[in-house]
Amino acid sequence: MENRKLSRNSMNKVIGGVCSGLAEYFNIDVVLVRVLFAASFLFAGVGGGLYLLLWLVVPANNIL
């Protein structure tokens, strides 16, 4: 089993690196994650709050 750790991606970020960190963790395209967050914000109204919560909770990978 692979030892993976969820972290915000400091190198491929637009705002906080949450979407790129999630995409890296789940091994999916970062554009798909960003579109899902945007859609959840526009249609359900929870995407922004979820993004902010993950930005606060998920540690940065500190690679600069």
Side-chain angles (χ1 to χ4, degrees):
M1 184 167 182
E2 187 178 329
N3 188 12
R4 296 184 299 177
K5 185 176 178 185
L6 178 60
S7 64
R8 291 183 285 122
N9 189 338
S10 300
M11 297 299 293
N12 188 17
K13 68 178 184 175
V14 173
I15 297 175
V18 173
C19 291
S20 59
L22 286 171
E24 185 177 299
Y25 182 78
F26 290 112
N27 197 25
I28 56 176
D29 189 23
V30 68
V31 175
L32 176 63
V33 178
R34 289 177 179 150
V35 167
L36 289 174
F37 263 103
S40 70
F41 178 72
L42 292 174
F43 297 117
V46 297
L50 180 62
Y51 189 92
L52 289 174
L53 178 67
L54 288 171
W55 194 354
L56 293 172
V57 174
V58 176
N61 62 2
N62 296 325
I63 297 174
L64 296 176

